[in-house]
Each structure stands twice: as C-alpha cells, then as structure tokens.
C-alpha cells in the first residue's frame, strides 16, 4: 500500500493503483437497478397518460436504449479512470468518467479515515474508503476497493496520520 518512495513535496500526478475489478460488476448492477426504477416509473407514467401510444412507446424505447448504453459503458469507463495511491506523504485519487478529478491530500492534513460498505458493496466484497481532511473541497473517496484492501488501507492511513506532526488543519 504505502510506497517506499519518499518525496517531501507531493505533486499532483496520476495514482498508480486501479480499484478492484469487481467494481465493474458492482457499478453495472448498481446502474441497472437505478435504471430499472426509472423505466418502471416511466412505463407507469406512460400507461396513465392519454398521449398517443406511438409517442409513449418511442419515449420508452429511447429511454431503454440510453439505460442499456449507460449500464454497459459507464462501469468500464469508470474502471479505466478510477485510481488511487498512498505514500508516506500523501493520498492520491483520481475518479469520474465524464468529469474526471485528480486530488492529493498530504498525510499531515488527514483528520479521519473511514470505510463504508453498503449492502450491494458487501455482496461484491467491496468498500469505499473516505479520507477527511481540512480541505474545503471535501473528503477524498476511494470507491471500488476490495474489502481486504480497504481494511488494510484504513489501518495504514490511520497509523501514518497519527504519526504525522501537526494538528491536521
């Protein structure tokens, strides 16, 4: 996890590690479930309106095509983009799919480190690690980690942050 390379002034750069490959399946199922709710709702709405059947069917087909495309493309794209890395000096993250963001947080600024596993994440043995700092930008989130890696990462970051001088502000 924590690299042996020590650089006293961390620079924003691409992180080295990909998230778990299981994140692709997780993001696919998550997107499919959300789209299922939207499509059922749209179908119920279409069935209750007096608009011509052709317009309703065309709208539902269009929505279904968008849903299938999103469910297939988005998880693989996110997997290709999402990265993370920790060193003794900093935590690096890269996330997104259309809008991509790279962030760095010096270890000395870490205030808390948390792990979260929702029911669907538990099914796929994944977790999200949240690193809270004094940054106005908000916490760094590393989503899609396998649960064992997330647990080790939380332990390591907690130990490194406690050893860092300063008050994390």
């Amino acid at each position: 996890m924590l690299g042996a390379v020590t650089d006293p002034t961390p620079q924003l750069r691409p992180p080295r590690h990909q998230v778990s490959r299981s994140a692709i399946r997780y993001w696919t199922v998550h997107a499919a479930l959300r789209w299922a709710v939207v499509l059922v709702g749209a179908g119920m709405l279409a069935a209750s309106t007096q608009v011509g059947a052709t317009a309703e069917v065309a709208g539902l087909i269009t929505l279904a095509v968008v849903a299938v495309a999103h469910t297939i493309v988005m998880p693989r794209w996110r997997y290709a983009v999402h990265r993370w890395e920790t060193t003794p000096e900093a935590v690096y993250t890269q996330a997104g799919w259309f809008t991509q963001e790279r962030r760095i947080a010096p270890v000395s600024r870490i205030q808390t480190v948390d792990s979260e596993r929702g029911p669907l994440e538990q099914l796929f043995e994944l977790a999200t690690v949240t690193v809270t700092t004094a940054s106005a930008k908000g916490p760094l989130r590393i989503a899609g980690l396998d649960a064992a890696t997330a647990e080790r990462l939380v332990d390591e970051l907690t130990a490194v942050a406690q050893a860092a001088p300063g008050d994390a502000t």
Side-chain angles (χ1 to χ4, degrees):
M1 297 308 140
L2 294 175
V5 177
T6 57
D7 180 3
T9 56
Q11 301 295 315
L12 189 60
R13 60 174 173 72
R16 293 184 189 159
H17 308 294
Q18 285 187 296
V19 297
S20 172
R21 191 132 178 92
S22 295
I24 296 172
R25 290 192 329 263
Y26 165 73
W27 288 323
T28 300
V29 170
H30 192 260
L33 291 172
R34 286 182 174 211
W35 276 113
V37 169
V38 170
L39 288 169
V40 167
M44 291 172 55
L45 181 62
S48 70
T49 64
Q50 299 301 319
V51 179
T54 305
E56 293 168 350
V57 170
L60 286 173
I61 289 172
T62 301
L63 190 59
V65 167
V66 169
V68 168
H70 176 263
T71 302
I72 291 170
V73 172
M74 178 275 298
R76 287 153 188 80
W77 194 337
R78 281 183 72 180
Y79 178 75
V81 171
H82 278 65
R83 298 274 187 279
W84 67 277
E85 181 181 355
T86 59
T87 68
E89 293 79 27
V91 177
Y92 299 83
T93 63
Q94 178 176 295
W97 61 296
F98 272 129
T99 302
Q100 297 176 12
E101 176 182 66
R102 277 189 195 153
R103 295 191 53 202
I104 181 174
V107 169
S108 63
R109 305 282 294 194
I110 294 175
Q111 294 176 328
T112 62
V113 182
D114 304 298
S115 178
E116 178 183 355
R117 297 182 70 209
L120 199 53
E121 285 176 306
Q122 291 177 42
L123 182 66
F124 288 94
E125 298 180 8
L126 296 172
T128 298
V129 172
T130 303
V131 179
T132 305
T133 68
S135 169
K137 184 73 173 170
L140 280 77
R141 292 177 44 87
I142 307 169
L145 293 175
D146 70 83
T149 299
E151 189 174 323
R152 281 193 311 273
L153 184 60
V154 167
D155 291 345
E156 289 176 7
L157 285 175
T158 300
V160 171
Q162 286 175 344
D167 63 357
T169 59

